[in-house]
Amino acid sequence: MSASTTVLQTFADSVLSLTLNRPEKLNAFNEEMHLALRAGLERAHRDDAVRAVLLTGAGRGFCAGQDLGNRDPRNGTPDLGHTLDTFYNPNVRLIRSLEKPVVCAVNGVAAGAGANIAIACDITLAARSARFIQAFAKIGLVPDCGGTWSLPRLVGEARAKALALTGEPLAAQTAADWGLIWRAVDDDALMEEAMALATRLAAGPTRGLGMTKRAIQAAATNSLDQQLDLERDLQRDAGRSADYAEGVIAFLEKRKPKFSGR
Ligand code: T3D
């Protein structure tokens, strides 16, 4: 467990909840928060008891991206390539490579890296009052955390360019209508709905869900032939899992399956 309070970890019903916790800065990232998030994601990778992750933010924002208080150019020019390599990119890779579902509950504004971390998650819900802002354009930067990769794939090039070049806020409902996120929900229902979803996924056939995530992500670069081969290989593995056997037996016995995650 991370000792830092910048990301709160709680564990219940096989769900590891990670709450970005610098609310006075709208959960903007400093180095400590990067490392605390990484510790939580590494725990999710390593610990078989964790079968889903829920990522959210404390207070009125989800995440305002980089803490600009640490970037005053009058104190010298930072190497931002180094900070991406060292802090942001490892966490995005941990989210994408985790073979367990990652649900994101965007409780308020998601700006800059905060917006792109939210859309890097597997299923993203947002409070109706939340906004997504590609804030990079306002300060002369380039969308990061995979934003230039995920935005055009999720919403198409025309919308991706308009969002990234203008930095205009996108309302949660429009984000859902455009396919940037899964669903916008009433503010006071967000956490209950997100936790119910994460808990349902955590009770599911974890290996099959993890392989499904891997296959869908691989489709971004695979040909149909490569994807058919990948599906064959993954299906072979899935067919040997305890959860497949349980799923079929439960169907035949007309009862609800009780998946173990194996
Ligand atoms: O640097 C690298 O390592 C490269 C990687 C970069 C990745 C990035 O994310 S670059 C983009 C950085 N983020 C931004 O440019 C967003 C800056 N914030 C805003 O534009 C606005 O705060 C929001 C649109 C997100 C929210 O606006 P609003 O009006 O709801 O809130 P606010 O009043 O602006 O902010 C509330 C407080 O949070 C305020 O503090 P104060 O005045 O009450 O003491 C504000 O300064 C603070 N805050 C918000 N965002 C940041 C922040 N403090 C530091 N860094 C922030 N990014």
Side-chain angles (χ1 to χ4, degrees), residues 22-29 34 60 63-71 78-84 87-88 109-115 131 133-139 141-145:
R22 301 185 72 224
E24 70 290 353
K25 302 278 183 197
L26 300 180
N27 305 316
F29 274 99
H34 281 295
R60 74 173 176 90
C63 176
Q66 174 61 37
D67 187 330
L68 296 177
N70 297 336
R71 289 290 180 269
D79 177 353
L80 301 187
H82 174 76
T83 71
L84 295 196
F87 296 110
Y88 285 100
V109 67
R131 297 160 287 153
I133 308 175
Q134 295 295 320
F136 311 91
K138 309 268 188 196
I139 55 170
L141 291 185
V142 173
D144 56 24
C145 291

Side-chain angles (χ1 to χ4, degrees), residues 211-227:
M211 287 189 272
T212 301
K213 170 174 174 174
R214 197 198 317 170
I216 289 175
Q217 291 178 179
T221 49
N222 274 352
S223 66
L224 175 60
D225 273 337
Q226 289 169 319
Q227 199 68 11

